[in-house]
Amino acid sequence: MGVPSILENRQQSIVFKGRKKQEIRCETDSEAGCVSQRACVYCGARVVLNPVADALHLVHGPIGCASYTWDIRGSLNSGADLYRNSFSTDLKEQDIIFGGEKKLTAALDELIPQFQPPLVFVYSTCVVGVIGDDLDAVCKAASLRYGIPVKPVQSSGFIGSKSAGYRAACDVLFQLIEPPQPLEKDTKRFRLNYLGDFNLAGEAWIIRSYLERIGVTVNVVFTGDSRYEQIRGAANADLNIIQCAGSMHYLAGKLQEAYGIPCLSVSFLGLDDTAETLRAIARHFNDPSISEQAEALIAEESARVMPAILKYKSRLQGKKAAVYVGGGFKAISLIKQFREIGMEVVMIGTQTGRKEEYEKMDSLVNEGAVILDDANPAELERFMLEQGADLLVGGVKERPLAYKLGVAFVDHNHDRKHPLSGYAGAVNFAAEVYSTLGSPVWQAVQGGVRHGRV
Amino acid sequence: MGEYNRDLSQNPCHMCMPMGGILALKGIEGAMPLLHGSQGCSTYMRRHIAEHFNEPVDVASSALNEKGTVYGGKANLKKAMDNVRRVYQPKLIGILTTCLAETIGEDIRQISSEYQAETECDCRIVTAATPGYGGTHTEGYWRMLRELLVQLTAPVEKHERINLIVPAALSPADLRQIKQTLALFGAEYTLLPDISETMDRPYEDCYGKMADGGTPLAEIAQMAGAVATLELGGPVDAKLSPGQLLQDSYGVPLYKLPIPIGLANSDQFIEAISTVLNKPVPAAICRERGLLMDAMIDAHKHSFQVRPVLFGDPEMVFALAGFCAENGMFPGVVATGGGSAGWRKAVAELLADSMNPLDVIEETDMSIVRARSEANQVNLAVGPSVGRYLEEQADIPLVRIGFPIQDRLGAQRILSVGYQGTALLLDKMVNCLLERKHKTYRSDLFQAYYQEREVARHEL
Ligand code: SF4
Ligand code: SF4
């Protein structure tokens, strides 16, 4: 069987570290027929907004778009759980012909009195963008009728990629934020917003507990386990820290512009990043007691997890990883995290990475590593094999491919059920990598499928 | 539309048309599905299918963007076909539309014939209009199969083979069982579609991007000359039925049969094969029938306690209803996201003997299924993974069957058809209740009957 060819139009989206300098092509539309792993604008918007736990999330569109996204993400919540329902206007042929505005109004009129949400998000999908429903007008009218914000999310799938959806979501979040309460003179408070954590498997709770331990208050998390009330008050923070930059940079920028809230890019993935982040926050607040408590936390937590991590590292040293994830932030963190457990990343790619993120990846990986934007299964297959990867990090769609190629696999997707953030997460990560790379199954299958006698 | 339905959906229990089209194409030899529309739809569907089968699922998209949407997607679609042919070398490309392509009025038939004329490509192209808003995934599935027949068959000489057409909800293990049954009869047949190998692939020394197996295109071309068509779709509407098409266009006699789950349903299947072939039922099959009867008797006192809610694809739910009724497991709710008034009537007839409160609901969603299940005191759920919602929110245990099953492993190995599969399913359902019973009966009885009383001193 020949090695699958790389399509001509894809060649500029694939670069090798160290070979002749070539800029990676990224942030472009997917090539037709390429089995891109990308999702759509609506998906991006849903990722960002869905964790708002007390909001009613209504998808205006045909059933599929809602069906495929019902409760597929592992954002945890405390209390309110309206967000775990999938509401859809379930547009049918007639609605496509005559317009879906009436149906949307009817749905809002039924759902708002029934569930009494403090906030409604109405997502537009591809067809809605084409049939020209006036989402703004319908939402505005409902908002007036019920006295709650009913926010249209402009997430028609074809107007860009997932990142366009992030932006649409940030626009809506920004509209919900009210000007800050006037501050008493000289009050010292250390209060921040934590952007870009969706509380998958309780990750935002872990980070909030760290911050509280060093004397910093979390005003609101965007958007993991958040509530409308908290979002409204987001401007009452002194700092924004952004973890998933791809989705939240835009909102941080808007908050800085409007309310002068400074922002800091952070990462809580891996031991080094977590420690560095806590120190950066302490430096920002420039307060000796925070610094002290941060150092104490770093020392205590590292000491607690180091033995476990070293144990795994001894078994993982020298193995090679391939990474294909959604955004650039996660990709960059993973290169560092693998290094912490003794592994090198030999293939790295994302669905929606930005130019500066790819430059960062290039600076982190070793000579010869391949970097891909918007890769397809044929390319993943080829480069995993060519680069001799022992393991792939990816999402659900990539898992069966890795397994069929005899490559170990780590889930780094939104539906995972164990936290990967902070110190607890660093151990989980090492344990998961070991659970797949260290499994005896790979030895059992090594001989191939044929019996010795046939 | 049933009495409980609203003009919106809360927690859907069905999917959209192109999903079904993809599932059908995955059972055709060397076929590659290509969705004409925006990228997101195909990514979502791939994810759903991959999670169910634990197999790589490649589905191409024409990746329409804003420009394509405004000025037409012809160029995108042609480019997509070029790229798919280059990377996958398929024998057939199945083009399916999505909501977007249909709404902007793309003529895929026209574009594909243009493409074929321009490129003289030797790969077959079949098209199907499957707008997501036009129907459920099961309707998309039937439509794709019909289009395959319309576009790939022509009158041929009569021959001895049987056409066997199966619905979307069956697993690879089910199809293997069905093939074995036909082999026991010594029958020659064409199974359409056949995912038994394509969606349950072994680990191999060398991975191929296109799976082996699937219904051979050469056999599809011969389907017009078969002795008969057996269609396991139950009461599937005539306008959706591929078997109906073969009967109307080529005079191939059609046997409309339920999925062979349950004693009576399996009997119908076996008798149909025996009639068509004019051969007696092999002894091995009679023995399996006896084993199922034995299993039913062993279980009967327990099964009579089961009051299930059945949901999922209309064909599957219909077969399950018959199977449940013959075991005394009279359902409290029978529901599907698709279906029709005809389907509802057919199900209600099957369950006419039940003394329990019953709701039969078509075109519904899981929020209604939950509400009616609680009202009718259901104690077991039978259906695909969306039922985890009942398990989590209403504490109704779920026996998983159908598509998709994403929260457990081994969907491809779930066997429920034929006498043997039926016995397995019956055990699973009854055991689920027994497990609960054993867990709680001590505390239940304690709470029901034990009364605290003052213990007098002298009694101690
Ligand atoms: S309902 Fe339409 S738009 Fe939504 S996923 Fe299905 S085909 Fe795509
Ligand atoms: S129709 Fe559009 S919004 Fe819906 S899943 Fe497809 S690409 Fe996304």
Side-chain angles (χ1 to χ4, degrees), chain B residues 326-402:
Chain B
E326 71 193 6
N327 282 285
M329 306 189 282
F330 291 111
V333 179
V334 181
T336 180
S340 60
W343 173 88
R344 181 178 3 122
K345 236 183 90 206
V347 171
E349 267 165 31
L350 285 176
L351 299 171
D353 269 351
S354 168
M355 301 204 305
N356 299 334
L358 167 69
D359 286 304
V360 183
I361 325 169
E362 78 276 17
E363 292 186 17
T364 193
D365 63 38
M366 290 308 285
S367 72
I368 292 167
V369 169
R370 177 185 166 190
R372 297 317 303 159
S373 296
E374 289 180 311
N376 293 349
Q377 301 193 333
V378 152
N379 58 11
L380 187 74
V382 183
S385 275
V386 284
R388 65 180 181 269
Y389 164 77
L390 300 174
E391 217 167 26
E392 187 196 325
Q393 311 268 328
D395 196 32
I396 302 170
L398 172 65
V399 170
R400 288 163 175 79
I401 188 173

Coordinates of all heavy atoms in Angstrom, one line a residue, chain B residues 326-402:
Chain B
E326 N -45.2 -10.1 23.6 CA -45.3 -11.6 23.7 C -44.7 -12.1 25.0 O -45.0 -13.3 25.4 CB -44.7 -12.3 22.5 CG -43.2 -12.2 22.4 CD -42.7 -12.6 21.0 OE1 -43.5 -12.8 20.1 OE2 -41.5 -12.7 20.9
N327 N -44.0 -11.3 25.7 CA -43.4 -11.7 27.0 C -44.1 -11.1 28.2 O -43.6 -11.2 29.3 CB -41.9 -11.3 27.0 CG -41.0 -12.3 26.2 OD1 -40.8 -13.4 26.6 ND2 -40.6 -11.9 25.0
G328 N -45.1 -10.4 27.9 CA -45.9 -9.8 29.0 C -45.2 -8.5 29.5 O -45.6 -8.0 30.6
M329 N -44.2 -8.1 28.8 CA -43.5 -6.8 29.3 C -44.2 -5.6 28.6 O -43.7 -5.0 27.8 CB -42.0 -6.8 28.8 CG -41.3 -8.1 29.3 SD -39.5 -8.0 29.0 CE -39.4 -8.4 27.3
F330 N -45.4 -5.4 29.0 CA -46.2 -4.4 28.4 C -45.7 -3.0 28.6 O -45.6 -2.6 29.8 CB -47.7 -4.5 28.8 CG -48.3 -5.7 28.2 CD1 -48.7 -6.7 29.1 CD2 -48.6 -5.9 26.9 CE1 -49.3 -7.9 28.6 CE2 -49.1 -7.0 26.4 CZ -49.5 -8.1 27.2
P331 N -45.3 -2.3 27.6 CA -44.7 -1.0 27.8 C -45.6 0.1 28.3 O -46.8 0.0 28.1 CB -44.2 -0.6 26.3 CG -44.5 -1.7 25.5 CD -45.5 -2.6 26.2
G332 N -45.0 1.1 29.0 CA -45.8 2.2 29.4 C -45.7 3.3 28.4 O -46.6 4.1 28.2
V333 N -44.6 3.4 27.7 CA -44.4 4.4 26.6 C -43.7 3.8 25.5 O -42.7 3.0 25.6 CB -43.5 5.6 27.1 CG1 -43.3 6.6 26.0 CG2 -44.1 6.2 28.4
V334 N -44.2 4.0 24.3 CA -43.5 3.6 23.0 C -43.3 4.9 22.2 O -44.3 5.5 21.9 CB -44.3 2.6 22.2 CG1 -43.5 2.2 21.0 CG2 -44.6 1.4 23.1
A335 N -42.1 5.3 21.9 CA -41.9 6.6 21.3 C -40.8 6.6 20.2 O -39.9 5.8 20.3 CB -41.5 7.6 22.4
T336 N -40.9 7.5 19.3 CA -39.9 7.7 18.3 C -39.8 9.2 17.9 O -40.8 9.9 18.0 CB -40.1 6.8 17.1 OG1 -39.1 7.0 16.1 CG2 -41.4 7.1 16.4
G337 N -38.6 9.6 17.5 CA -38.5 11.0 17.1 C -39.1 11.2 15.7 O -39.4 12.3 15.3
G338 N -39.2 10.1 14.9 CA -39.8 10.2 13.6 C -41.2 9.6 13.6 O -42.0 10.0 14.4
G339 N -41.3 8.6 12.7 CA -42.6 7.9 12.7 C -43.7 8.6 12.0 O -43.5 9.7 11.4
S340 N -44.9 8.1 12.1 CA -46.1 8.7 11.4 C -47.3 8.2 12.1 O -47.2 7.3 13.0 CB -46.1 8.3 10.0 OG -46.2 6.8 9.9
A341 N -48.4 8.7 11.7 CA -49.7 8.2 12.3 C -49.9 6.7 12.0 O -50.3 6.0 12.9 CB -50.9 9.0 11.7
G342 N -49.4 6.3 10.8 CA -49.5 4.9 10.5 C -48.7 4.0 11.4 O -49.1 2.9 11.9
W343 N -47.5 4.5 11.7 CA -46.7 3.8 12.7 C -47.3 3.7 14.0 O -47.4 2.6 14.7 CB -45.3 4.6 12.8 CG -44.4 4.0 13.8 CD1 -43.5 3.0 13.7 CD2 -44.3 4.5 15.2 NE1 -42.8 2.8 14.9 CE2 -43.3 3.7 15.8 CE3 -45.0 5.4 16.0 CZ2 -43.0 3.8 17.2 CZ3 -44.6 5.6 17.3 CH2 -43.6 4.8 17.9
R344 N -47.9 4.8 14.5 CA -48.6 4.8 15.8 C -49.7 3.8 15.9 O -49.8 3.0 16.8 CB -49.1 6.2 16.1 CG -49.7 6.2 17.5 CD -50.3 7.5 18.0 NE -50.2 8.6 17.1 CZ -51.3 9.3 16.6 NH1 -52.5 9.0 17.1 NH2 -51.1 10.3 15.8
K345 N -50.5 3.7 14.8 CA -51.6 2.8 14.7 C -51.1 1.3 14.8 O -51.6 0.5 15.5 CB -52.4 3.0 13.5 CG -53.9 3.2 13.8 CD -54.7 3.4 12.5 CE -55.2 2.0 12.0 NZ -55.5 1.9 10.6
A346 N -50.0 1.1 14.0 CA -49.5 -0.3 14.0 C -49.0 -0.7 15.4 O -49.2 -1.8 15.8 CB -48.4 -0.4 12.9
V347 N -48.3 0.2 16.1 CA -47.8 -0.1 17.4 C -48.9 -0.4 18.4 O -49.0 -1.3 19.1 CB -46.9 1.0 17.9 CG1 -46.5 0.7 19.4 CG2 -45.6 1.1 17.1
A348 N -49.9 0.5 18.3 CA -51.1 0.4 19.2 C -51.8 -0.9 19.1 O -52.2 -1.5 20.0 CB -52.0 1.6 19.0
E349 N -51.9 -1.4 17.8 CA -52.5 -2.7 17.6 C -51.8 -3.8 18.2 O -52.4 -4.7 18.8 CB -52.6 -2.9 16.1 CG -53.9 -2.5 15.5 CD -53.8 -2.4 13.9 OE1 -53.1 -3.2 13.3 OE2 -54.5 -1.5 13.4
L350 N -50.5 -3.7 18.2 CA -49.6 -4.8 18.8 C -49.9 -4.9 20.3 O -49.7 -5.9 20.9 CB -48.1 -4.5 18.6 CG -47.5 -4.7 17.2 CD1 -46.1 -4.2 17.2 CD2 -47.6 -6.2 16.8
L351 N -50.2 -3.7 20.9 CA -50.3 -3.7 22.3 C -51.7 -3.6 22.8 O -51.9 -3.2 24.0 CB -49.4 -2.5 22.8 CG -47.9 -2.6 22.4 CD1 -47.2 -1.3 22.7 CD2 -47.3 -3.7 23.1
A352 N -52.6 -3.9 22.0 CA -54.0 -3.8 22.4 C -54.4 -4.6 23.6 O -55.3 -4.2 24.3 CB -54.9 -4.2 21.2
D353 N -53.7 -5.7 23.9 CA -54.0 -6.5 25.0 C -53.6 -6.0 26.3 O -53.9 -6.5 27.4 CB -53.3 -7.9 24.8 CG -54.1 -8.9 24.1 OD1 -55.3 -8.5 23.9 OD2 -53.6 -9.9 23.7
S354 N -52.7 -4.9 26.3 CA -52.2 -4.5 27.6 C -53.2 -3.8 28.5 O -54.1 -3.1 28.0 CB -51.1 -3.5 27.3 OG -50.7 -2.8 28.4
M355 N -53.1 -4.1 29.8 CA -54.0 -3.5 30.7 C -53.3 -2.2 31.4 O -54.0 -1.5 32.2 CB -54.4 -4.4 31.8 CG -55.0 -5.7 31.3 SD -56.1 -6.5 32.5 CE -54.9 -6.7 33.9
N356 N -52.1 -2.0 31.0 CA -51.4 -0.9 31.7 C -51.6 0.4 30.9 O -51.9 0.4 29.7 CB -49.9 -1.1 31.6 CG -49.5 -2.4 32.4 OD1 -50.2 -2.8 33.3 ND2 -48.4 -3.0 32.1
P357 N -51.5 1.6 31.6 CA -51.6 2.8 30.8 C -50.4 2.9 29.8 O -49.3 2.5 30.1 CB -51.4 3.9 31.9 CG -50.8 3.2 33.1 CD -51.2 1.7 33.0
L358 N -50.7 3.4 28.6 CA -49.8 3.3 27.5 C -49.9 4.6 26.7 O -50.9 5.1 26.4 CB -50.1 2.1 26.6 CG -49.4 2.1 25.3 CD1 -47.9 1.9 25.5 CD2 -50.0 1.0 24.4
D359 N -48.7 5.2 26.4 CA -48.6 6.3 25.4 C -47.8 5.8 24.2 O -46.7 5.4 24.4 CB -48.0 7.5 26.0 CG -48.9 8.2 27.0 OD1 -50.0 8.6 26.6 OD2 -48.5 8.4 28.2
V360 N -48.4 5.9 23.0 CA -47.6 5.7 21.8 C -47.4 7.1 21.2 O -48.4 7.7 20.8 CB -48.3 4.7 20.9 CG1 -47.4 4.4 19.7 CG2 -48.6 3.4 21.6
I361 N -46.2 7.5 21.0 CA -46.0 8.9 20.6 C -45.0 8.9 19.5 O -43.8 8.5 19.6 CB -45.4 9.8 21.7 CG1 -46.0 9.3 23.1 CG2 -45.7 11.2 21.5 CD1 -45.3 10.0 24.3
E362 N -45.3 9.6 18.3 CA -44.4 9.8 17.3 C -43.9 11.2 17.3 O -44.5 12.0 18.0 CB -45.0 9.4 15.9 CG -45.9 10.4 15.3 CD -47.3 10.3 15.8 OE1 -47.6 9.6 16.9 OE2 -48.2 10.8 15.1
E363 N -42.9 11.5 16.5 CA -42.3 12.8 16.4 C -42.1 13.5 17.7 O -42.5 14.6 18.0 CB -43.2 13.7 15.5 CG -43.2 13.3 14.0 CD -43.9 14.2 13.1 OE1 -44.2 15.3 13.5 OE2 -44.3 13.8 12.0
T364 N -41.5 12.8 18.7 CA -41.4 13.4 20.0 C -40.0 13.6 20.4 O -39.1 13.4 19.6 CB -42.1 12.4 21.0 OG1 -42.3 13.1 22.2 CG2 -41.4 11.1 21.2
D365 N -39.8 14.0 21.7 CA -38.4 14.2 22.1 C -38.3 13.6 23.5 O -39.3 13.1 24.1 CB -38.1 15.7 22.1 CG -38.9 16.5 23.1 OD1 -39.3 16.1 24.2 OD2 -39.3 17.7 22.7
M366 N -37.1 13.6 24.1 CA -36.8 12.9 25.3 C -37.5 13.6 26.5 O -37.7 12.9 27.6 CB -35.3 12.7 25.5 CG -34.7 11.8 24.6 SD -35.4 10.1 24.5 CE -34.9 9.4 26.0
S367 N -37.8 14.9 26.5 CA -38.4 15.5 27.6 C -39.8 14.9 27.8 O -40.3 14.7 28.9 CB -38.4 17.0 27.5 OG -39.3 17.4 26.5
I368 N -40.5 14.7 26.7 CA -41.8 14.2 26.7 C -41.8 12.7 27.1 O -42.5 12.2 27.9 CB -42.6 14.4 25.4 CG1 -42.8 15.9 25.2 CG2 -43.9 13.6 25.3 CD1 -43.2 16.3 23.8
V369 N -40.8 12.0 26.5 CA -40.6 10.6 26.9 C -40.4 10.4 28.4 O -41.0 9.6 29.0 CB -39.4 10.0 26.1 CG1 -39.1 8.6 26.7 CG2 -39.7 9.9 24.6
R370 N -39.6 11.3 28.9 CA -39.4 11.2 30.4 C -40.7 11.5 31.2 O -41.0 10.8 32.1 CB -38.3 12.3 30.8 CG -38.1 12.3 32.3 CD -37.1 13.4 32.7 NE -37.2 13.6 34.1 CZ -36.6 14.6 34.7 NH1 -35.9 15.4 34.0 NH2 -36.7 14.7 36.0
A371 N -41.4 12.6 30.8 CA -42.6 12.9 31.5 C -43.6 11.8 31.5 O -44.2 11.4 32.5 CB -43.2 14.2 31.0
R372 N -43.8 11.2 30.3 CA -44.8 10.1 30.2 C -44.3 8.9 30.9 O -45.1 8.1 31.4 CB -45.1 9.9 28.7 CG -45.8 11.0 27.9 CD -46.8 11.8 28.7 NE -47.9 10.9 29.2 CZ -48.8 11.2 30.2 NH1 -48.6 12.3 30.9 NH2 -49.7 10.3 30.5
S373 N -43.0 8.6 30.9 CA -42.5 7.4 31.5 C -42.7 7.5 33.0 O -43.1 6.5 33.6 CB -41.0 7.3 31.3 OG -40.7 7.1 29.9
E374 N -42.5 8.7 33.6 CA -42.7 8.8 35.0 C -44.2 8.7 35.3 O -44.6 8.0 36.3 CB -42.2 10.1 35.5 CG -40.6 10.1 35.5 CD -40.0 11.4 36.0 OE1 -40.4 12.5 35.5 OE2 -39.1 11.3 36.8
A375 N -45.1 9.3 34.5 CA -46.5 9.2 34.7 C -47.0 7.8 34.6 O -47.9 7.4 35.4 CB -47.2 10.1 33.7
N376 N -46.5 7.0 33.7 CA -47.0 5.7 33.5 C -46.2 4.6 34.3 O -46.3 3.4 34.0 CB -47.0 5.3 32.0 CG -48.0 6.1 31.3 OD1 -48.8 6.8 31.9 ND2 -48.0 6.1 30.0
Q377 N -45.3 5.1 35.2 CA -44.6 4.2 36.1 C -43.8 3.1 35.4 O -43.9 2.0 35.7 CB -45.5 3.6 37.1 CG -46.2 4.7 37.9 CD -47.0 4.1 39.1 OE1 -47.4 2.9 39.1 NE2 -47.1 4.9 40.1
V378 N -43.0 3.6 34.5 CA -42.1 2.7 33.7 C -41.0 2.3 34.6 O -40.5 3.1 35.5 CB -41.6 3.5 32.5 CG1 -40.2 3.1 32.1 CG2 -42.6 3.5 31.4
N379 N -40.5 1.1 34.5 CA -39.3 0.7 35.3 C -38.1 0.2 34.6 O -37.1 -0.2 35.1 CB -39.8 -0.4 36.3 CG -40.3 -1.7 35.6 OD1 -40.2 -1.8 34.4 ND2 -40.9 -2.6 36.4
L380 N -38.1 0.3 33.2 CA -36.9 0.0 32.5 C -37.0 0.8 31.1 O -38.1 0.9 30.5 CB -36.9 -1.5 32.2 CG -35.7 -2.0 31.5 CD1 -34.5 -2.1 32.5 CD2 -35.9 -3.4 30.9
A381 N -35.8 1.3 30.7 CA -35.8 2.0 29.4 C -35.0 1.1 28.4 O -34.0 0.5 28.8 CB -35.1 3.3 29.6
V382 N -35.5 1.1 27.2 CA -34.8 0.3 26.2 C -34.6 1.2 24.9 O -35.6 1.6 24.3 CB -35.6 -1.0 25.8 CG1 -34.8 -1.8 24.7 CG2 -35.9 -1.8 27.0
G383 N -33.4 1.5 24.6 CA -33.1 2.4 23.5 C -31.7 2.8 23.4 O -30.9 2.3 24.2
P384 N -31.4 3.7 22.5 CA -30.0 4.2 22.4 C -29.6 5.1 23.5 O -30.3 5.3 24.5 CB -30.0 5.0 21.0 CG -31.4 5.3 20.8 CD -32.3 4.3 21.5
S385 N -28.3 5.6 23.4 CA -27.7 6.3 24.5 C -28.4 7.6 25.0 O -28.2 8.0 26.1 CB -26.3 6.7 24.2 OG -25.4 5.6 24.5
V386 N -29.3 8.2 24.2 CA -30.0 9.4 24.7 C -30.8 9.0 26.0 O -31.1 9.9 26.8 CB -30.9 10.0 23.7 CG1 -30.2 10.8 22.7 CG2 -31.8 9.0 23.1
G387 N -31.0 7.7 26.1 CA -31.7 7.3 27.3 C -31.0 7.4 28.6 O -31.5 7.3 29.7
R388 N -29.7 7.8 28.5 CA -28.9 8.0 29.7 C -29.5 9.2 30.5 O -29.3 9.3 31.7 CB -27.4 8.3 29.4 CG -27.2 9.5 28.7 CD -25.7 9.7 28.4 NE -25.4 11.0 27.7 CZ -25.4 11.0 26.4 NH1 -25.5 10.0 25.6 NH2 -25.2 12.2 25.8
Y389 N -30.2 10.0 29.8 CA -30.9 11.1 30.4 C -32.0 10.6 31.4 O -32.2 11.1 32.5 CB -31.5 11.9 29.3 CG -32.6 12.9 29.6 CD1 -32.3 14.2 30.2 CD2 -33.9 12.7 29.2 CE1 -33.3 15.1 30.4 CE2 -34.9 13.6 29.4 CZ -34.6 14.8 30.0 OH -35.6 15.7 30.2
L390 N -32.7 9.5 31.0 CA -33.7 8.9 31.8 C -33.0 8.2 33.0 O -33.5 8.3 34.2 CB -34.5 7.8 31.1 CG -35.3 8.3 29.9 CD1 -35.9 7.1 29.1 CD2 -36.4 9.3 30.3
E391 N -31.9 7.6 32.8 CA -31.2 6.9 33.8 C -30.7 8.0 34.9 O -30.9 7.8 36.1 CB -29.9 6.3 33.2 CG -29.6 4.9 33.8 CD -28.6 4.2 32.9 OE1 -27.8 4.9 32.2 OE2 -28.6 3.0 33.0
E392 N -30.2 9.1 34.4 CA -29.6 10.0 35.3 C -30.7 10.9 36.0 O -30.6 11.1 37.2 CB -28.7 11.0 34.6 CG -27.9 11.9 35.5 CD -27.3 13.1 34.8 OE1 -26.8 12.9 33.6 OE2 -27.2 14.2 35.3
Q393 N -31.7 11.3 35.3 CA -32.7 12.2 35.8 C -33.9 11.6 36.4 O -34.5 12.1 37.3 CB -33.1 13.2 34.7 CG -32.0 13.8 33.9 CD -31.6 15.2 34.5 OE1 -32.3 15.9 35.1 NE2 -30.3 15.5 34.3
A394 N -34.3 10.4 35.9 CA -35.5 9.8 36.4 C -35.2 8.4 37.1 O -36.2 7.7 37.4 CB -36.5 9.6 35.3
D395 N -34.0 8.0 37.2 CA -33.6 6.8 37.8 C -34.2 5.6 37.2 O -34.7 4.6 37.8 CB -33.9 6.8 39.3 CG -33.2 5.7 40.0 OD1 -32.1 5.4 39.6 OD2 -33.7 5.2 41.0
I396 N -34.4 5.6 35.8 CA -34.9 4.4 35.1 C -33.7 3.8 34.4 O -33.0 4.4 33.6 CB -35.9 4.9 34.0 CG1 -37.1 5.7 34.7 CG2 -36.4 3.7 33.3 CD1 -38.0 6.3 33.7
P397 N -33.4 2.5 34.8 CA -32.2 1.9 34.2 C -32.4 1.7 32.7 O -33.5 1.5 32.2 CB -32.1 0.5 34.9 CG -33.4 0.3 35.5 CD -34.1 1.6 35.7
L398 N -31.3 1.7 32.0 CA -31.3 1.7 30.5 C -30.6 0.4 29.9 O -29.5 0.2 30.3 CB -30.6 2.9 29.9 CG -30.4 3.0 28.4 CD1 -31.8 3.1 27.7 CD2 -29.6 4.2 28.1
V399 N -31.4 -0.3 29.1 CA -30.7 -1.3 28.3 C -30.5 -0.8 26.9 O -31.4 -0.3 26.3 CB -31.6 -2.6 28.2 CG1 -31.1 -3.6 27.2 CG2 -31.8 -3.3 29.5
R400 N -29.2 -0.8 26.5 CA -28.8 0.0 25.3 C -29.0 -0.9 24.1 O -28.5 -2.0 24.0 CB -27.4 0.5 25.5 CG -27.3 1.7 26.4 CD -25.9 1.9 26.9 NE -25.9 3.1 27.7 CZ -26.2 3.1 29.0 NH1 -26.7 2.1 29.6 NH2 -26.1 4.3 29.7
I401 N -29.7 -0.3 23.1 CA -29.9 -1.0 21.8 C -30.1 0.1 20.8 O -30.6 1.1 21.1 CB -31.1 -2.0 21.9 CG1 -31.2 -2.9 20.6 CG2 -32.4 -1.3 22.1 CD1 -32.2 -4.0 20.8
G402 N -29.7 -0.2 19.5 CA -30.0 0.8 18.4 C -28.8 1.7 18.2 O -27.7 1.4 18.6

